[in-house]
Amino acid sequence: MSTTIPFNKPFMTGRELWYIAQAHTNGHLSGDGQFTKKCHAWLEQRTGTKRALLTHSCTAALEMAALLAEVQAGDEVIMPSYTFVSTANAFVMRGAIPVFVDIRPDTLNIDESKIEAAITPRTKVILPVHYAGVACEMDTIMDIASRHKLIVIEDAAQGIMSTYKGRALGTIGHMGAYSFHETKNIVSGEGGALLVNDAAFAERAEIIREKGTNRSQFFRGQVDKYTWVDVGSSYLPGEVIAAFLWAQMEEADAITRRRLDLWDRYHAALAPLEAAGKLRRPVLPDGCVHNAHMYYILLDSLEQRGKVIDNMKRQGVSTVFHYVPLHSAPAGLRLSRAHGSMRHTDELSARLLRLPLWVGLEDSLARVVTALNEAL
Ligand SMILES: *Cc1c(COP(=O)(O)O)cnc(C)c1O
Protein backbone atom coordinates (compact mmCIF):
# COMPACT_ATOMS: atom_id res chain seq x y z
CA MET A 1 0.00 0.00 0.00
CA SER A 2 1.19 3.54 -0.68
CA THR A 3 2.15 5.82 2.19
CA THR A 4 -0.46 7.23 4.53
CA ILE A 5 -1.81 10.68 3.64
CA PRO A 6 -1.41 12.78 6.80
CA PHE A 7 -4.24 14.97 8.02
CA ASN A 8 -1.99 18.04 8.15
CA LYS A 9 1.47 18.94 6.92
CA PRO A 10 2.74 22.47 7.62
CA PHE A 11 3.83 24.20 4.41
CA MET A 12 7.28 25.79 4.29
CA THR A 13 7.89 28.53 1.76
CA GLY A 14 11.65 27.90 1.67
CA ARG A 15 12.70 31.29 3.02
CA GLU A 16 12.04 30.63 6.72
CA LEU A 17 15.61 29.57 7.55
CA TRP A 18 17.10 32.43 5.54
CA TYR A 19 15.11 34.99 7.52
CA ILE A 20 15.97 33.27 10.81
CA ALA A 21 19.65 33.51 9.81
CA GLN A 22 19.11 37.24 9.13
CA ALA A 23 17.55 37.72 12.55
CA HIS A 24 20.57 36.01 14.02
CA THR A 25 22.94 38.25 12.03
CA ASN A 26 20.99 41.35 13.08
CA GLY A 27 21.82 40.37 16.63
CA HIS A 28 18.33 41.25 17.88
CA LEU A 29 16.63 38.09 19.15
CA SER A 30 14.11 39.40 21.67
CA GLY A 31 10.72 40.71 20.54
CA ASP A 32 9.69 43.71 18.45
CA GLY A 33 12.74 43.73 16.16
CA GLN A 34 12.81 44.20 12.41
CA PHE A 35 10.85 41.04 11.50
CA THR A 36 8.15 41.66 14.09
CA LYS A 37 7.74 45.19 12.67
CA LYS A 38 7.41 43.78 9.15
CA CYS A 39 4.72 41.36 10.35
CA HIS A 40 2.87 44.16 12.18
CA ALA A 41 2.93 46.40 9.11
CA TRP A 42 1.75 43.57 6.87
CA LEU A 43 -1.15 42.75 9.19
CA GLU A 44 -2.16 46.38 9.54
CA GLN A 45 -1.98 47.02 5.81
CA ARG A 46 -3.68 43.78 4.75
CA THR A 47 -6.49 43.80 7.30
CA GLY A 48 -7.00 47.50 7.97
CA THR A 49 -6.77 47.04 11.76
CA LYS A 50 -5.55 50.04 13.77
CA ARG A 51 -2.85 48.09 15.60
CA ALA A 52 -1.61 44.55 15.13
CA LEU A 53 0.57 42.92 17.80
CA LEU A 54 2.25 39.54 17.45
CA THR A 55 1.75 37.20 20.39
CA HIS A 56 2.92 33.70 21.33
CA SER A 57 -0.44 32.26 20.30
CA CYS A 58 -4.06 33.04 19.65
CA THR A 59 -4.62 31.90 23.23
CA ALA A 60 -2.27 34.69 24.42
CA ALA A 61 -4.06 37.23 22.19
CA LEU A 62 -7.41 36.21 23.73
CA GLU A 63 -5.93 36.53 27.23
CA MET A 64 -4.77 40.04 26.34
CA ALA A 65 -8.22 40.86 24.98
CA ALA A 66 -9.79 39.69 28.26
CA LEU A 67 -7.47 42.01 30.21
CA LEU A 68 -8.14 44.92 27.84
CA ALA A 69 -11.89 44.42 28.08
CA GLU A 70 -11.46 44.57 31.88
CA VAL A 71 -13.38 41.36 32.32
CA GLN A 72 -13.95 40.79 36.05
CA ALA A 73 -14.87 37.81 38.19
CA GLY A 74 -18.52 36.94 37.62
CA ASP A 75 -18.77 38.73 34.27
CA GLU A 76 -20.37 36.72 31.49
CA VAL A 77 -18.99 36.13 28.02
CA ILE A 78 -21.36 34.86 25.32
CA MET A 79 -19.71 32.38 22.96
CA PRO A 80 -20.37 29.14 21.09
CA SER A 81 -19.74 25.82 22.86
CA TYR A 82 -18.53 24.37 19.58
CA THR A 83 -15.00 25.84 19.72
CA PHE A 84 -11.47 25.30 20.99
CA VAL A 85 -10.91 25.49 24.77
CA SER A 86 -8.88 28.72 24.62
CA THR A 87 -11.95 30.72 23.59
CA ALA A 88 -13.38 30.00 27.02
CA ASN A 89 -10.22 29.62 29.11
CA ALA A 90 -8.83 33.09 28.33
CA PHE A 91 -11.90 34.50 30.11
CA VAL A 92 -12.26 31.82 32.79
CA MET A 93 -8.73 32.83 33.88
CA ARG A 94 -10.20 36.22 34.82
CA GLY A 95 -12.99 34.56 36.78
CA ALA A 96 -15.55 35.16 34.05
CA ILE A 97 -18.30 32.72 33.13
CA PRO A 98 -18.66 31.49 29.55
CA VAL A 99 -22.31 31.45 28.54
CA PHE A 100 -22.82 29.19 25.55
CA VAL A 101 -25.45 29.58 22.88
CA ASP A 102 -26.13 27.07 20.13
CA ILE A 103 -24.63 27.15 16.64
CA ARG A 104 -26.28 27.59 13.25
CA PRO A 105 -26.71 24.29 11.45
CA ASP A 106 -25.43 25.74 8.15
CA THR A 107 -22.07 27.33 9.09
CA LEU A 108 -21.62 25.86 12.59
CA ASN A 109 -21.01 29.43 13.76
CA ILE A 110 -22.73 30.99 16.79
CA ASP A 111 -26.44 31.45 16.07
CA GLU A 112 -26.76 35.24 16.14
CA SER A 113 -30.53 35.00 16.61
CA LYS A 114 -29.98 33.34 20.02
CA ILE A 115 -27.48 35.83 21.44
CA GLU A 116 -29.80 38.55 22.68
CA ALA A 117 -31.83 36.22 24.91
CA ALA A 118 -28.62 35.12 26.65
CA ILE A 119 -27.69 38.66 27.71
CA THR A 120 -27.93 39.46 31.44
CA PRO A 121 -26.78 42.47 33.52
CA ARG A 122 -23.45 40.58 33.97
CA THR A 123 -22.77 40.17 30.24
CA LYS A 124 -19.63 42.02 29.17
CA VAL A 125 -18.41 40.45 25.94
CA ILE A 126 -19.75 38.69 22.86
CA LEU A 127 -17.19 36.31 21.42
CA PRO A 128 -17.96 35.07 17.90
CA VAL A 129 -15.70 32.31 16.54
CA HIS A 130 -15.32 32.22 12.76
CA TYR A 131 -15.40 28.48 12.28
CA ALA A 132 -13.38 27.14 9.34
CA GLY A 133 -12.57 30.72 8.34
CA VAL A 134 -16.21 31.38 7.38
CA ALA A 135 -17.57 34.55 8.96
CA CYS A 136 -20.22 34.78 11.65
CA GLU A 137 -23.17 37.10 10.92
CA MET A 138 -21.22 40.13 12.13
CA ASP A 139 -23.70 42.90 11.20
CA THR A 140 -26.30 41.42 13.54
CA ILE A 141 -23.73 40.72 16.27
CA MET A 142 -22.31 44.27 16.15
CA ASP A 143 -25.82 45.70 16.27
CA ILE A 144 -26.71 43.65 19.37
CA ALA A 145 -23.41 44.65 21.00
CA SER A 146 -23.90 48.36 20.38
CA ARG A 147 -27.47 48.32 21.68
CA HIS A 148 -26.35 46.55 24.89
CA LYS A 149 -22.96 48.33 25.14
CA LEU A 150 -20.99 45.08 24.96
CA ILE A 151 -17.46 44.50 23.71
CA VAL A 152 -17.02 42.19 20.73
CA ILE A 153 -13.86 40.07 20.57
CA GLU A 154 -13.54 37.92 17.45
CA ASP A 155 -11.84 34.56 17.74
CA ALA A 156 -10.46 34.63 14.19
CA ALA A 157 -7.87 31.92 14.93
CA GLN A 158 -8.90 30.21 11.69
CA GLY A 159 -9.79 33.37 9.80
CA ILE A 160 -6.69 35.03 8.35
CA MET A 161 -7.27 36.09 4.69
CA SER A 162 -11.06 35.64 5.03
CA THR A 163 -13.54 38.50 4.75
CA TYR A 164 -17.10 39.37 5.71
CA LYS A 165 -18.73 41.88 3.31
CA GLY A 166 -15.24 42.94 2.25
CA ARG A 167 -13.81 43.38 5.76
CA ALA A 168 -11.06 41.15 7.13
CA LEU A 169 -12.15 38.75 9.87
CA GLY A 170 -10.79 39.91 13.21
CA THR A 171 -11.20 43.60 12.30
CA ILE A 172 -14.95 44.00 12.75
CA GLY A 173 -15.24 43.69 16.54
CA HIS A 174 -13.36 45.85 19.04
CA MET A 175 -10.55 43.29 18.99
CA GLY A 176 -9.71 40.11 17.09
CA ALA A 177 -7.28 37.24 17.54
CA TYR A 178 -5.38 35.23 14.88
CA SER A 179 -3.48 31.97 15.30
CA PHE A 180 -0.29 30.94 13.51
CA HIS A 181 -0.23 27.47 15.07
CA GLU A 182 1.12 24.88 12.66
CA THR A 183 -2.38 23.55 12.00
CA LYS A 184 -3.57 26.92 10.64
CA ASN A 185 -3.07 28.45 7.16
CA ILE A 186 -0.15 30.81 7.89
CA VAL A 187 2.15 29.33 10.51
CA SER A 188 5.08 29.91 12.83
CA GLY A 189 4.81 26.72 14.89
CA GLU A 190 3.17 28.43 17.81
CA GLY A 191 2.13 32.03 17.24
CA GLY A 192 -0.68 34.52 17.07
CA ALA A 193 -1.67 38.14 16.82
CA LEU A 194 -4.02 40.53 18.54
CA LEU A 195 -5.81 42.96 16.24
CA VAL A 196 -6.79 46.13 18.08
CA ASN A 197 -9.52 47.75 16.02
CA ASP A 198 -10.74 50.26 18.57
CA ALA A 199 -7.91 52.75 19.03
CA ALA A 200 -8.98 53.27 22.65
CA PHE A 201 -7.37 49.91 23.52
CA ALA A 202 -4.15 50.37 21.52
CA GLU A 203 -1.86 52.02 24.05
CA ARG A 204 -2.83 49.69 26.88
CA ALA A 205 -2.45 46.66 24.58
CA GLU A 206 1.23 47.51 24.07
CA ILE A 207 1.72 47.87 27.82
CA ILE A 208 -0.03 44.62 28.76
CA ARG A 209 2.02 42.75 26.13
CA GLU A 210 5.28 44.17 27.53
CA LYS A 211 4.91 42.94 31.15
CA GLY A 212 2.91 45.98 32.22
CA THR A 213 5.65 48.43 31.27
CA ASN A 214 5.76 51.44 28.96
CA ARG A 215 8.77 49.97 27.13
CA SER A 216 7.29 50.54 23.65
CA GLN A 217 6.65 54.23 24.34
CA PHE A 218 10.14 54.53 25.82
CA PHE A 219 11.74 53.14 22.64
CA ARG A 220 9.71 55.56 20.52
CA GLY A 221 11.03 58.40 22.68
CA GLN A 222 7.51 59.27 23.90
CA VAL A 223 8.42 58.91 27.59
CA ASP A 224 11.79 59.38 29.28
CA LYS A 225 11.47 56.56 31.82
CA TYR A 226 10.83 52.86 31.29
CA THR A 227 8.81 51.60 34.23
CA TRP A 228 5.98 49.49 35.61
CA VAL A 229 2.69 51.23 34.78
CA ASP A 230 -0.05 48.55 34.65
CA VAL A 231 -0.83 44.83 34.91
CA GLY A 232 0.66 42.73 32.15
CA SER A 233 2.58 39.68 31.15
CA SER A 234 5.08 38.63 28.50
CA TYR A 235 2.98 38.10 25.41
CA LEU A 236 5.45 38.97 22.64
CA PRO A 237 7.32 36.36 20.61
CA GLY A 238 11.04 36.58 19.88
CA GLU A 239 12.46 37.55 16.50
CA VAL A 240 13.16 33.95 15.41
CA ILE A 241 9.43 33.24 15.40
CA ALA A 242 8.70 36.55 13.65
CA ALA A 243 11.36 35.82 11.00
CA PHE A 244 9.74 32.46 10.29
CA LEU A 245 6.31 34.09 10.16
CA TRP A 246 7.49 36.81 7.78
CA ALA A 247 8.47 34.16 5.21
CA GLN A 248 4.91 32.83 5.47
CA MET A 249 3.23 36.24 5.23
CA GLU A 250 5.14 36.98 2.02
CA GLU A 251 3.48 33.89 0.53
CA ALA A 252 0.06 34.33 2.13
CA ASP A 253 -1.70 35.01 -1.18
CA ALA A 254 -0.16 31.99 -2.90
CA ILE A 255 -0.87 29.73 0.12
CA THR A 256 -4.50 30.86 0.21
CA ARG A 257 -4.91 30.36 -3.56
CA ARG A 258 -3.55 26.84 -3.38
CA ARG A 259 -5.75 25.95 -0.38
CA LEU A 260 -8.82 27.35 -2.13
CA ASP A 261 -8.02 25.29 -5.20
CA LEU A 262 -7.89 22.11 -3.07
CA TRP A 263 -11.11 23.10 -1.26
CA ASP A 264 -12.88 23.68 -4.59
CA ARG A 265 -11.71 20.31 -5.86
CA TYR A 266 -13.14 18.55 -2.79
CA HIS A 267 -16.35 20.52 -3.10
CA ALA A 268 -16.86 19.51 -6.73
CA ALA A 269 -15.80 15.90 -6.19
CA LEU A 270 -18.17 15.42 -3.24
CA ALA A 271 -21.23 17.00 -4.88
CA PRO A 272 -22.52 13.60 -6.12
CA LEU A 273 -22.28 12.14 -2.59
CA GLU A 274 -24.27 15.07 -1.24
CA ALA A 275 -26.84 14.70 -4.04
CA ALA A 276 -27.14 11.01 -3.11
CA GLY A 277 -27.86 11.99 0.51
CA LYS A 278 -24.66 10.40 1.84
CA LEU A 279 -23.10 13.50 3.39
CA ARG A 280 -23.46 17.25 3.70
CA ARG A 281 -20.84 19.66 2.38
CA PRO A 282 -19.86 23.02 3.97
CA VAL A 283 -22.11 26.04 3.35
CA LEU A 284 -20.76 29.50 2.44
CA PRO A 285 -23.25 32.33 3.09
CA ASP A 286 -23.38 35.34 0.75
CA GLY A 287 -20.88 38.01 1.66
CA CYS A 288 -18.39 35.53 3.15
CA VAL A 289 -15.11 35.04 1.30
CA HIS A 290 -13.29 32.21 3.01
CA ASN A 291 -9.66 31.10 3.22
CA ALA A 292 -10.10 27.34 2.78
CA HIS A 293 -8.92 26.73 6.31
CA MET A 294 -10.81 23.48 6.49
CA TYR A 295 -12.77 20.98 4.44
CA TYR A 296 -15.27 19.14 6.61
CA ILE A 297 -18.20 16.89 5.88
CA LEU A 298 -21.24 16.00 7.98
CA LEU A 299 -22.10 12.32 8.14
CA ASP A 300 -25.27 10.63 9.42
CA SER A 301 -24.25 9.67 12.93
CA LEU A 302 -21.47 9.21 15.46
CA GLU A 303 -21.42 5.46 14.74
CA GLN A 304 -21.07 6.01 11.01
CA ARG A 305 -18.30 8.55 11.56
CA GLY A 306 -16.29 6.05 13.59
CA LYS A 307 -16.62 3.47 10.82
CA VAL A 308 -15.63 5.97 8.11
CA ILE A 309 -12.52 7.03 10.09
CA ASP A 310 -11.45 3.39 10.55
CA ASN A 311 -12.17 2.48 6.96
CA MET A 312 -10.24 5.45 5.56
CA LYS A 313 -7.37 4.73 7.93
CA ARG A 314 -7.14 1.21 6.49
CA GLN A 315 -6.95 2.86 3.06
CA GLY A 316 -4.11 5.10 4.24
CA VAL A 317 -6.01 8.36 4.75
CA SER A 318 -5.95 10.21 8.10
CA THR A 319 -9.09 12.10 9.02
CA VAL A 320 -9.95 13.79 12.30
CA PHE A 321 -12.89 15.31 14.13
CA HIS A 322 -13.33 18.02 16.79
CA TYR A 323 -14.54 19.53 19.17
CA VAL A 324 -15.94 17.97 22.32
CA PRO A 325 -18.53 20.72 22.97
CA LEU A 326 -17.27 22.86 25.84
CA HIS A 327 -20.56 22.81 27.76
CA SER A 328 -20.26 19.04 28.22
CA ALA A 329 -16.48 18.91 28.82
CA PRO A 330 -15.37 18.28 32.44
CA ALA A 331 -14.16 21.87 32.97
CA GLY A 332 -17.15 23.27 31.11
CA LEU A 333 -19.53 21.55 33.52
CA ARG A 334 -17.77 23.27 36.45
CA LEU A 335 -16.96 26.68 35.01
CA SER A 336 -19.58 27.66 32.45
CA ARG A 337 -23.22 27.39 31.58
CA ALA A 338 -25.31 26.84 28.48
CA HIS A 339 -28.15 29.18 27.59
CA GLY A 340 -30.97 27.30 25.92
CA SER A 341 -30.81 24.14 23.87
CA MET A 342 -27.42 22.94 22.56
CA ARG A 343 -29.15 20.70 20.03
CA HIS A 344 -27.15 21.63 16.92
CA THR A 345 -23.86 21.76 18.86
CA ASP A 346 -24.40 18.25 20.25
CA GLU A 347 -25.69 16.78 17.05
CA LEU A 348 -23.29 18.30 14.52
CA SER A 349 -20.13 17.87 16.62
CA ALA A 350 -20.86 14.13 16.63
CA ARG A 351 -21.25 13.98 12.85
CA LEU A 352 -18.42 16.22 11.64
CA LEU A 353 -15.34 14.81 9.93
CA ARG A 354 -12.37 16.82 8.62
CA LEU A 355 -10.52 15.73 5.50
CA PRO A 356 -6.80 16.37 4.90
CA LEU A 357 -6.20 19.88 3.51
CA TRP A 358 -2.66 21.20 3.17
CA VAL A 359 -0.55 22.82 0.49
CA GLY A 360 1.08 19.92 -1.35
CA LEU A 361 -1.98 17.63 -1.17
CA GLU A 362 -2.62 18.29 -4.88
CA ASP A 363 -1.26 14.90 -5.99
CA SER A 364 -3.11 12.86 -3.36
CA LEU A 365 -6.49 14.58 -3.15
CA ALA A 366 -8.04 12.15 -5.62
CA ARG A 367 -6.97 9.29 -3.35
CA VAL A 368 -8.80 10.88 -0.41
CA VAL A 369 -11.96 11.22 -2.50
CA THR A 370 -11.73 7.61 -3.71
CA ALA A 371 -11.19 6.37 -0.15
CA LEU A 372 -14.20 8.34 1.08
CA ASN A 373 -16.38 6.95 -1.70
CA GLU A 374 -15.24 3.44 -0.73
CA ALA A 375 -15.91 4.10 2.94
CA LEU A 376 -19.43 5.31 2.25
C1 LIG B 1 -6.40 27.15 16.97
C2 LIG B 1 -7.47 27.85 17.69
C3 LIG B 1 -7.24 28.56 18.88
C4 LIG B 1 -5.93 28.53 19.60
O1 LIG B 1 -4.87 29.01 18.85
P1 LIG B 1 -3.39 28.92 19.48
O2 LIG B 1 -2.60 29.81 18.55
O3 LIG B 1 -2.97 27.49 19.39
O4 LIG B 1 -3.44 29.42 20.85
C5 LIG B 1 -8.28 29.28 19.45
N1 LIG B 1 -9.50 29.27 18.90
C6 LIG B 1 -9.78 28.59 17.77
C7 LIG B 1 -11.16 28.66 17.19
C8 LIG B 1 -8.78 27.85 17.13
O5 LIG B 1 -9.06 27.17 16.02
Side-chain angles (χ1 to χ4, degrees):
M1 199 181 78
S2 41
T3 53
T4 293
I5 300 172
F7 169 69
N8 184 51
K9 197 166 163 182
F11 174 67
M12 308 290 168
T13 70
R15 278 200 293 276
E16 287 84 354
L17 291 178
W18 168 238
Y19 288 149
I20 287 171
Q22 278 188 21
H24 183 261
T25 306
N26 291 346
H28 179 133
L29 291 175
S30 60
D32 284 341
Q34 185 190 311
F35 284 103
T36 303
K37 290 194 173 99
K38 280 180 192 283
C39 293
H40 286 172
W42 187 91
L43 284 167
E44 285 165 12
Q45 191 225 320
R46 291 299 297 256
T47 70
T49 186
K50 297 255 171 27
R51 193 81 177 87
L53 294 167
L54 293 193
T55 56
H56 295 298
S57 60
C58 178
T59 303
L62 291 167
E63 288 179 23
M64 283 182 66
L67 285 165
L68 288 163
E70 298 185 69
V71 169
Q72 310 289 330
D75 286 349
E76 296 177 353
V77 181
I78 296 176
M79 65 177 75
S81 166
Y82 186 66
T83 182
F84 187 64
V85 293
S86 295
T87 317
N89 249 345
F91 295 84
V92 167
M93 280 176 74
R94 308 255 67 81
I97 300 159
V99 174
F100 302 121
V101 305
D102 207 3
I103 50 173
R104 291 165 47 141
D106 57 353
T107 56
L108 281 56
N109 279 331
I110 191 166
D111 185 339
E112 68 281 358
S113 72
K114 304 213 166 97
I115 291 174
E116 200 147 17
I119 294 173
T120 75
R122 296 309 306 258
T123 307
K124 188 119 188 204
V125 172
I126 303 177
L127 210 153
V129 179
H130 303 296
Y131 184 66
V134 177
C136 298
E137 190 38 60
M138 290 306 293
D139 279 350
T140 307
I141 292 171
M142 294 311 291
D143 175 59
I144 294 168
S146 84
R147 281 190 285 108
H148 294 270
K149 301 198 166 40
L150 303 174
I151 294 173
V152 176
I153 299 168
E154 299 174 67
D155 181 338
Q158 306 174 7
I160 195 164
M161 306 294 280
S162 292
T163 57
Y164 169 79
K165 301 186 183 174
R167 299 167 73 187
L169 299 194
T171 68
I172 302 160
H174 299 82
M175 291 173 258
Y178 282 160
S179 173
F180 305 119
H181 186 263
E182 74 164 27
T183 51
K184 305 301 201 287
N185 290 19
I186 308 296
V187 306
S188 59
E190 305 281 349
L194 177 70
L195 305 187
V196 183
N197 308 315
D198 182 332
F201 295 112
E203 189 174 305
R204 192 158 186 242
E206 284 185 346
I207 291 168
I208 284 173
R209 177 168 166 273
E210 268 281 21
K211 303 102 182 165
T213 72
N214 56 357
R215 193 166 192 265
S216 303
Q217 293 164 320
F218 177 70
F219 277 116
R220 285 197 299 262
Q222 292 165 340
V223 291
D224 60 2
K225 280 197 300 295
Y226 158 38
T227 186
W228 181 23
V229 294
D230 203 341
V231 298
S233 186
S234 180
Y235 287 119
L236 73 170
E239 275 290 281
V240 170
I241 289 282
F244 191 108
L245 184 61
W246 176 242
Q248 297 263 320
M249 284 182 171
E250 280 191 326
E251 294 296 319
D253 289 304
I255 291 169
T256 307
R257 255 195 320 275
R258 287 180 69 179
R259 293 186 74 100
L260 282 165
D261 175 59
L262 292 164
W263 197 99
D264 290 343
R265 282 170 61 185
Y266 270 135
H267 209 57
L270 302 186
L273 287 172
E274 185 177 69
K278 293 197 187 263
L279 56 77
R280 208 207 79 191
R281 298 178 303 160
V283 173
L284 300 171
D286 287 345
C288 297
V289 175
H290 76 130
N291 60 358
H293 172 60
M294 193 189 301
Y295 201 92
Y296 67 82
I297 54 174
L298 291 166
L299 298 168
D300 281 343
S301 64
L302 183 67
E303 298 71 44
Q304 189 203 17
R305 179 174 73 182
K307 287 187 189 139
V308 169
I309 292 171
D310 290 346
N311 186 310
M312 290 184 74
K313 195 170 167 194
R314 283 199 297 279
Q315 300 184 69
V317 179
S318 306
T319 58
V320 304
F321 61 84
H322 68 178
Y323 305 98
V324 175
L326 299 184
H327 72 274
S328 51
L333 294 170
R334 289 201 310 276
L335 302 167
S336 59
R337 69 179 166 82
H339 183 274
S341 154
M342 292 285 118
R343 182 165 75 91
H344 296 307
T345 302
D346 288 329
E347 195 211 307
L348 298 171
S349 62
R351 291 170 44 205
L352 182 131
L353 186 67
R354 300 174 64 183
L355 303 180
L357 178 53
W358 38 271
V359 174
L361 181 70
E362 285 85 351
D363 294 336
S364 348
L365 184 134
R367 243 184 82 203
V368 180
V369 172
T370 306
L372 181 61
N373 271 283
E374 281 279 316
L376 291 171

